[in-house]
Each structure stands twice: as C-alpha cells, then as structure tokens.
C-alpha cells in the first residue's frame, strides 16, 4: 500500500516538473510572435530606414504603450512639449483608416487651459504662437486659424447628472480630441485609461491634477501598468526642484524631479526634462534602453511631417 502511494507521488512529481519545464523553458506562442515582429522591424529598417523613426532616442514620444514623464521648472517649456504631443497625435489620427478612426487623444488640462489651447491652435494652424496669444492676425492667418479649429474640434459629451457642481466626464467616443479641465481622481483616471481604444494617447498637463494620490509610488505604478495593459500612451507633465539652476554647468539629473515624481525614475518608460541653458532651451532624455542620458537642444519637428 505504501509502495503504491509512493509510486503515485513520484508520477505526480514527474508530471509537475515536466509541466513547469515546458512552461518556463519552451518557447511560447507569445515569444515566437514577438520574435517575428522584431525580425520584421530589423528587416524593414535595413531596407528602408524611413519606415521606422523610433530606432533611436526619440523624445517626448514613447515607442510602446506605457508612461512618459515630461518635466521642467518653467511651466511654459513642458506646456509647449505637451501641446506638440497633442497636436502630433491629432494630426496623425486625422489620416487613419476607418477601422482605426476611434483612436484619439484625451487631455486632462489645468483649470485655466487657455495657453495650452492657444499653442495647439498655433501648431495645427501653422501660426506663430505669439500671433495667437496677442491676437495679432494678418489676413493670411484667419483661414489657418479656421482650419485649426476644425481639426481640433472635440466633444466632452452631455450629461444631466451633476457632481460637485460639474457634469461628470463622459467624452464622445467618436471625438478625435477629448478634453476636460481641472483635477481628476486617481480612480477615475485609471478607469478612463482602461476604457480607451488601444493606441489612444492620454495627456495629463500636470501631475498635481491627479487627486487621491496618497502614495505616489503606488499611483505611478498603477498608472503605468494600466496604461501598458490597455495599449494607451500616457503622458504626464510635472515640475522640478531648483537645484539645476544653481549648478555652474546647469546639468540636470533624475534627482531634480519634484518629490512627488521621484518614484517615476523606477516606473516610467521615458523621462524628458526640459530646461533653459546659456545657449537656449535644452532637453535631457532618460531612456531606460540606455544607461547614459541623451542631451540635445530642444527642437520639436512640425506636427505636419
């Protein structure tokens, strides 16, 4: 009797080890598909480098769904970059096929988002920002402004219910640009990210707009993981400390991020820090693919390219 039990236990043990060996060491279908995609990427780049623009450090866009941080001491710098991201996404999605047309960009803007909107109008309309900001339009600018307004048109949706004096945020699923102003709870933001179509970009103008973040490490972890799982590109703006301003060489480090964003160093898929230098505005890009940061003058390409 004891011998039979022992033989059965040995058989079960062998089956368990065989199952774990296959699961852990044999190539899975997922891995095979991933390998095929990577080989196709290498082949395409080798034959035509223009087919893929993401084979190098590219700020502020991330290559895969996840979390990217855009930080600066001056609000104007990060707003310029985030406005470019929004405009770039809108212009890219304007030429999508019918099966992809629901992909969009969802913006969570500051309480007073007027400047962000002006920068969007300038970028999409090919107008100088100062022209829109100071309302110094020439005759040729009016048609461009009209075109920009039509391209950026989006809808927040209409709701009868009112919460804290404001209607809840139910954006039109067909809108290319979805927009809301003011703070948003962490739970609501996670839910919005999780319900977006894969390929959608979500831009939060400033991290302080996200409320109920009692633990910043857990909040950033959850935001990044939910975004990656949903296939969403999440961009969050944030601040910095003042220490890089007093350094002789104006060098920036990851430790210069605002305290609330310090955990992003271990979580984010890309961190772009913009800062003024003696020679003009600069960017320092921390890409986890490489050990050394990438530094160059701040230069954003046209959203129409």
């Amino acid at each position: 009797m004891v011998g039979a039990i022992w033989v059965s236990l040995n058989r079960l043990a062998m089956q368990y080890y065989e199952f774990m060996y296959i699961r852990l060491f044999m190539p899975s279908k997922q891995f095979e598909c991933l390998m095929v995609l990577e080989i196709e990427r290498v082949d395409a780049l080798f034959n035509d480098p223009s087919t893929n623009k993401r084979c190098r450090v590219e700020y502020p866009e991330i290559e895969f769904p996840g979390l990217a941080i855009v930080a600066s001491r001056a609000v104007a710098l990060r707003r310029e970059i985030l406005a470019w991201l929004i405009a770039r996404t809108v212009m890219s999605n304007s030429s999508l096929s019918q099966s992809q047309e629901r992909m969009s960009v969802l913006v969570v803007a500051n309480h007073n988002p007027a400047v962000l909107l002006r920068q969007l109008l300038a970028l999409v309309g090919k107008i100088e920002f100062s022209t829109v900001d100071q309302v110094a339009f020439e005759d040729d600018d009016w048609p461009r402004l009209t075109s920009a307004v039509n391209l950026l048109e989006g809808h927040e949706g209409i709701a009868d219910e009112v919460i804290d004096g404001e209607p809840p945020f139910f954006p039109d699923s067909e809108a290319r640009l979805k927009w809301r102003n003011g703070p948003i709870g962490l739970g609501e933001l996670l839910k919005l990210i999780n319900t977006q179509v894969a390929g959608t970009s979500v831009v939060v103008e400033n991290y302080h707009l996200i409320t109920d973040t009692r633990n910043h490490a857990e909040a950033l972890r959850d935001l990044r993981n939910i975004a990656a799982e949903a296939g969403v590109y999440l961009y969050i703006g944030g601040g910095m400390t003042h220490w890089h301003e007093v350094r002789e060489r104006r060098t920036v480090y990851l430790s210069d991020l605002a305290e609330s964003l310090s955990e992003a160093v271990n979580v984010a898929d890309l961190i772009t820090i913009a800062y003024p230098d003696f020679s003009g505005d600069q960017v320092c890009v921390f890409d986890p693919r490489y050990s050394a940061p990438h530094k160059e003058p701040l230069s954003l390409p046209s959203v129409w390219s």
Side-chain angles (χ1 to χ4, degrees):
M1 183 66 179
V2 175
I5 294 175
W6 180 254
V7 170
S8 298
L9 289 174
N10 277 337
R11 186 179 294 116
L12 286 172
M14 290 298 295
Q15 290 175 347
Y16 172 77
Y17 285 126
E18 182 179 357
F19 168 77
M20 292 303 295
Y21 177 82
I22 293 175
R23 185 170 182 177
L24 294 175
F25 299 105
M26 295 295 287
S28 67
K29 194 67 179 177
Q30 266 189 329
F31 182 78
E32 290 177 2
C33 292
L34 185 63
M35 185 65 75
V36 170
L37 289 174
E38 185 60 22
I39 292 173
E40 289 177 349
R41 185 186 78 92
V42 172
D43 183 62
L45 279 171
F46 181 79
N47 291 286
D48 183 6
S50 66
T51 58
N52 191 328
K53 300 178 181 179
R54 304 309 308 281
C55 58
R56 61 184 181 86
V57 175
E58 192 77 64
Y59 70 91
E61 296 176 291
I62 41 179
E63 182 178 5
F64 303 107
L67 170 64
I69 300 294
V70 177
S72 70
R73 176 79 167 161
V75 176
L77 274 177
R78 64 174 176 268
R79 184 185 287 126
E80 178 185 351
I81 295 174
L82 292 174
W84 179 88
L85 270 168
I86 299 166
R88 176 86 157 187
T89 305
V90 170
M91 297 309 300
S92 298
N93 291 350
S94 64
S95 59
L96 291 174
S97 64
Q98 187 173 1
S99 62
Q100 297 174 308
E101 63 183 5
R102 288 186 61 206
M103 290 194 302
S104 57
V105 54
L106 190 155
V107 181
V108 180
N110 280 327
H111 278 292
N112 185 8
V115 180
L116 178 63
L117 180 57
R118 291 171 199 167
Q119 287 182 323
L120 279 174
L121 290 170
L123 286 166
V124 177
K126 298 181 180 178
I127 310 170
E128 291 293 330
F129 170 72
S130 59
T131 299
V132 180
D133 188 49
Q134 301 172 23
V135 197
F137 294 104
E138 301 289 342
D139 290 342
D140 294 342
D141 295 323
W142 291 108
R144 297 176 182 177
L145 180 64
T146 302
S147 176
V149 170
N150 292 333
L151 282 168
L152 291 174
E153 184 180 9
H155 305 280
E156 292 190 15
I158 301 174
D160 296 328
E161 184 184 2
V162 175
I163 300 175
D164 295 331
E166 295 288 339
F169 183 56
F170 296 118
D172 184 351
S173 60
E174 300 300 323
R176 186 181 302 143
L177 175 60
K178 307 172 187 180
W179 188 288
R180 67 163 287 164
N181 302 335
I184 182 171
L186 176 61
E188 184 183 0
L189 179 57
L190 290 170
K191 183 178 179 180
L192 278 175
I193 292 171
N194 203 32
T195 55
Q196 299 306 305
V197 177
T200 297
S201 296
V202 175
V203 178
V204 181
E205 189 173 357
N206 206 314
Y207 180 71
H208 75 252
L209 292 169
I210 307 173
T211 60
D212 303 327
T213 51
R214 296 179 181 86
N215 186 309
H216 296 298
E218 292 181 1
L220 289 165
R221 178 201 64 194
D222 292 345
L223 286 166
R224 190 270 167 194
N225 290 340
I226 291 294
E229 186 176 348
V232 167
Y233 300 85
L234 175 61
Y235 300 93
I236 299 179
M240 295 174 58
T241 66
H242 71 283
W243 292 112
H244 71 284
E245 296 176 345
V246 299
R247 295 190 189 109
E248 183 178 353
R249 299 182 63 182
R250 295 290 179 93
T251 307
V252 295
Y253 301 97
L254 287 172
S255 57
D256 291 325
L257 290 173
E259 184 178 356
S260 58
L261 289 174
S262 59
E263 190 61 29
V265 173
N266 302 314
V267 176
D269 298 279
L270 191 73
I271 296 177
T272 300
I273 296 180
Y275 60 101
D277 198 355
F278 301 110
S279 57
D281 295 334
Q282 308 287 320
V283 289
C284 187
V285 186
F286 296 88
D287 188 326
R289 294 179 297 178
Y290 307 102
S291 58
H294 173 75
K295 301 178 181 180
E296 66 176 57
L298 174 60
S299 177
L300 296 170
S302 169
V303 297
W304 290 86
S305 61

